[in-house]
Amino acid sequence: MDFLDKQLKLPFSKGTVSLKYVLAHSTYWLLITGFFIYEKRYLIYKASMPYFVACVTVRIALLIVIAYLNLHFFLPKYLLKKRYFIYSVAVIASVIGYLTAQSLFDFYLYGYVIGPMRNSDLMESLSYNFFSTLWYLGLMLALKLSMDWYGQQLLIQKITVEKLNAEVNFLRAQVNPHFLFNILNNLYALTLKNQN
């Protein structure tokens, strides 16, 4: 068994998940957090460190909620059961919830905390948050689907190897021991005959 296939029990998970899953998702969220820290670093100077931390934390927390709601609830319950319309409505409703919360936070942060240093435009905030949400949901969905595809390919490969082993074992079992014994006796008789 591969070290990365070790199963872990997570606090909010129904079953166990592989270490590979945890590492892939942790890496993804660390990269996203790093991107937001880089993108919003100007808030340290324009607002203050607590507002900078709050901005990045709120954005990442909301993205985590919407991403895992999509991956672990909407995807298996609607999309995989080919209920595309309900899946679309659920994703759009969750994106609207995210947009509302994030845009109100941004409107407050940029309109009242930073104040005259930046004009607060709710439509600009909504459009930025909408497209960034779709981008991150798409990335997370692509990560999940690619990990699922890779897991299926490994399973298909394992099944193929097991099938070939079963066929070899079946062919070995079909060789009649009496047939082999007769061949060995005939070879022995021929060697005795050739010696005389």
Side-chain angles (χ1 to χ4, degrees):
M1 183 179 202
D2 189 22
F3 172 73
L4 293 177
D5 289 331
K6 182 178 177 183
Q7 297 295 309
L8 303 171
K9 175 72 176 139
L10 296 179
F12 298 106
S13 131
K14 291 181 184 176
T16 60
V17 295
S18 69
L19 183 59
K20 197 180 299 184
Y21 175 89
V22 171
L23 288 175
H25 284 260
S26 299
T27 303
Y28 173 81
W29 288 112
L30 284 173
L31 289 172
I32 298 301
T33 303
F35 172 75
F36 279 126
I37 288 172
Y38 177 76
E39 182 187 41
K40 301 293 182 185
R41 70 187 183 283
Y42 66 88
L43 287 175
I44 297 172
Y45 307 109
K46 293 189 177 185
S48 66
M49 182 60 98
Y51 285 111
F52 166 74
V53 171
C55 179
V56 172
T57 304
V58 166
R59 188 173 301 275
I60 295 298
L62 288 172
L63 280 174
I64 287 173
V65 168
I66 193 173
Y68 288 109
L69 186 65
N70 184 32
L71 287 181
H72 296 292
F73 187 71
F74 299 150
L75 188 73
K77 189 169 182 171
Y78 302 123
L79 187 65
L80 296 180
K81 293 181 180 175
K82 300 183 188 226
R83 298 168 72 188
Y84 302 118
F85 179 74
I86 296 173
Y87 175 74
S88 300
V89 169
V91 169
I92 289 170
S94 65
V95 168
I96 289 171
Y98 169 82
L99 286 176
T100 303
Q102 186 61 51
S103 295
L104 288 174
F105 180 78
D106 287 350
F107 184 71
Y108 167 74
L109 180 65
Y110 295 122
Y112 296 103
V113 174
I114 294 178
M117 291 182 222
R118 177 179 167 96
N119 293 331
S120 180
D121 184 10
L122 188 58
M123 288 310 292
E124 179 184 326
S125 178
L126 278 171
S127 66
Y128 171 79
N129 288 328
F130 176 74
F131 289 112
S132 68
T133 303
L134 291 182
W135 173 253
Y136 294 117
L137 279 178
L139 282 176
M140 183 58 99
L141 189 61
L143 176 68
K144 165 120 175 87
L145 294 177
S146 63
M147 287 177 71
D148 288 350
W149 177 83
Y150 181 71
Q152 286 178 344
Q153 294 302 314
L154 288 177
L155 184 63
I156 289 170
Q157 184 180 19
K158 182 179 175 185
I159 289 171
T160 303
V161 168
E162 287 176 359
K163 181 182 174 194
L164 289 173
N165 285 337
E167 287 176 3
V168 167
N169 290 337
F170 178 71
L171 290 173
R172 284 182 185 157
Q174 280 189 339
V175 175
N176 193 340
H178 295 293
F179 175 75
L180 291 175
F181 182 70
N182 287 339
I183 289 176
L184 288 175
N185 270 343
N186 287 339
L187 288 174
Y188 180 70
L190 284 173
T191 55
L192 288 177
K193 189 176 182 182
N194 287 338
Q195 283 179 355
N196 292 333

